[in-house]
Tab-separated table of all heavy atoms in Angstrom:
chain	number	residue	atom	x	y	z
F	24	ASN	N	-17.011	17.249	19.396
F	24	ASN	CA	-17.915	18.298	18.940
F	24	ASN	C	-17.122	19.304	18.116
F	24	ASN	O	-15.952	19.549	18.379
F	24	ASN	CB	-18.570	19.010	20.126
F	24	ASN	CG	-19.631	18.169	20.773
F	24	ASN	OD1	-19.353	17.384	21.677
F	24	ASN	ND2	-20.854	18.304	20.302
F	25	TYR	N	-17.791	19.868	17.140
F	25	TYR	CA	-17.108	20.847	16.308
F	25	TYR	C	-17.925	22.119	16.235
F	25	TYR	O	-19.131	22.123	16.500
F	25	TYR	CB	-16.862	20.287	14.904
F	25	TYR	CG	-18.126	20.072	14.109
F	25	TYR	CD1	-18.614	21.062	13.267
F	25	TYR	CD2	-18.843	18.892	14.226
F	25	TYR	CE1	-19.777	20.882	12.553
F	25	TYR	CE2	-20.014	18.703	13.516
F	25	TYR	CZ	-20.471	19.693	12.682
F	25	TYR	OH	-21.648	19.511	11.997
F	26	SER	N	-17.250	23.166	15.869
F	26	SER	CA	-17.895	24.466	15.704
F	26	SER	C	-17.561	24.975	14.318
F	26	SER	O	-16.384	25.199	14.003
F	26	SER	CB	-17.388	25.435	16.774
F	26	SER	OG	-17.863	26.732	16.533
F	27	TYR	N	-18.600	25.085	13.514
F	27	TYR	CA	-18.415	25.630	12.155
F	27	TYR	C	-19.786	25.929	11.582
F	27	TYR	O	-20.724	25.170	11.751
F	27	TYR	CB	-17.676	24.642	11.257
F	27	TYR	CG	-17.465	25.163	9.858
F	27	TYR	CD1	-16.661	26.283	9.628
F	27	TYR	CD2	-18.084	24.569	8.762
F	27	TYR	CE1	-16.481	26.789	8.350
F	27	TYR	CE2	-17.904	25.067	7.491
F	27	TYR	CZ	-17.105	26.171	7.281
F	27	TYR	OH	-16.927	26.676	6.027
F	28	GLY	N	-19.913	27.033	10.886
F	28	GLY	CA	-21.215	27.461	10.377
F	28	GLY	C	-21.667	26.761	9.118
F	28	GLY	O	-22.840	26.805	8.777
F	29	GLY	N	-20.770	26.091	8.423
F	29	GLY	CA	-21.137	25.476	7.155
F	29	GLY	C	-21.094	23.958	7.222
F	29	GLY	O	-21.070	23.356	8.292
F	30	THR	N	-21.071	23.354	6.066
F	30	THR	CA	-21.060	21.887	5.966
F	30	THR	C	-19.634	21.377	6.083
F	30	THR	O	-18.715	21.959	5.511
F	30	THR	CB	-21.656	21.455	4.619
F	30	THR	OG1	-22.939	22.064	4.481
F	30	THR	CG2	-21.819	19.951	4.557
F	31	VAL	N	-19.486	20.295	6.829
F	31	VAL	CA	-18.146	19.786	7.092
F	31	VAL	C	-18.004	18.322	6.691
F	31	VAL	O	-18.987	17.595	6.575
F	31	VAL	CB	-17.764	19.916	8.582
F	31	VAL	CG1	-17.681	21.378	8.998
F	31	VAL	CG2	-18.732	19.150	9.469
F	32	ASN	N	-16.771	17.942	6.469
F	32	ASN	CA	-16.388	16.533	6.409
F	32	ASN	C	-15.768	16.205	7.760
F	32	ASN	O	-15.076	17.034	8.360
F	32	ASN	CB	-15.349	16.290	5.315
F	32	ASN	CG	-15.868	16.649	3.932
F	32	ASN	OD1	-16.993	16.314	3.575
F	32	ASN	ND2	-15.051	17.347	3.162
F	33	LEU	N	-15.993	14.988	8.237
F	33	LEU	CA	-15.554	14.619	9.580
F	33	LEU	C	-14.689	13.374	9.542
F	33	LEU	O	-14.945	12.461	8.746
F	33	LEU	CB	-16.779	14.364	10.464
F	33	LEU	CG	-17.662	15.590	10.669
F	33	LEU	CD1	-19.128	15.206	10.745
F	33	LEU	CD2	-17.241	16.324	11.925
F	34	PHE	N	-13.697	13.340	10.412
F	34	PHE	CA	-12.718	12.258	10.392
F	34	PHE	C	-12.352	11.865	11.822
F	34	PHE	O	-12.352	12.694	12.732
F	34	PHE	CB	-11.423	12.705	9.694
F	34	PHE	CG	-11.612	13.282	8.325
F	34	PHE	CD1	-11.943	14.621	8.156
F	34	PHE	CD2	-11.441	12.501	7.201
F	34	PHE	CE1	-12.113	15.172	6.888
F	34	PHE	CE2	-11.605	13.032	5.935
F	34	PHE	CZ	-11.939	14.358	5.781
F	35	TRP	N	-12.022	10.603	11.977
F	35	TRP	CA	-11.313	10.132	13.166
F	35	TRP	C	-10.014	9.487	12.700
F	35	TRP	O	-10.018	8.611	11.818
F	35	TRP	CB	-12.133	9.110	13.953
F	35	TRP	CG	-13.105	9.726	14.910
F	35	TRP	CD1	-14.432	9.954	14.717
F	35	TRP	CD2	-12.818	10.191	16.232
F	35	TRP	NE1	-14.996	10.528	15.832
F	35	TRP	CE2	-14.022	10.684	16.773
F	35	TRP	CE3	-11.668	10.230	17.027
F	35	TRP	CZ2	-14.114	11.218	18.074
F	35	TRP	CZ3	-11.758	10.755	18.313
F	35	TRP	CH2	-12.968	11.235	18.812
F	36	TYR	N	-8.923	9.963	13.291
F	36	TYR	CA	-7.613	9.389	13.043
F	36	TYR	C	-7.130	8.713	14.319
F	36	TYR	O	-7.465	9.129	15.429
F	36	TYR	CB	-6.603	10.474	12.652
F	36	TYR	CG	-6.710	10.947	11.222
F	36	TYR	CD1	-7.571	11.986	10.879
F	36	TYR	CD2	-5.940	10.370	10.215
F	36	TYR	CE1	-7.665	12.425	9.564
F	36	TYR	CE2	-6.024	10.811	8.898
F	36	TYR	CZ	-6.886	11.836	8.581
F	36	TYR	OH	-6.965	12.271	7.274
Side-chain angles (χ1 to χ4, degrees):
Chain F
N24 286 89
Y25 67 92
S26 173
Y27 180 64
T30 307
V31 295
N32 299 316
L33 297 145
F34 307 84
W35 275 97
Y36 282 88

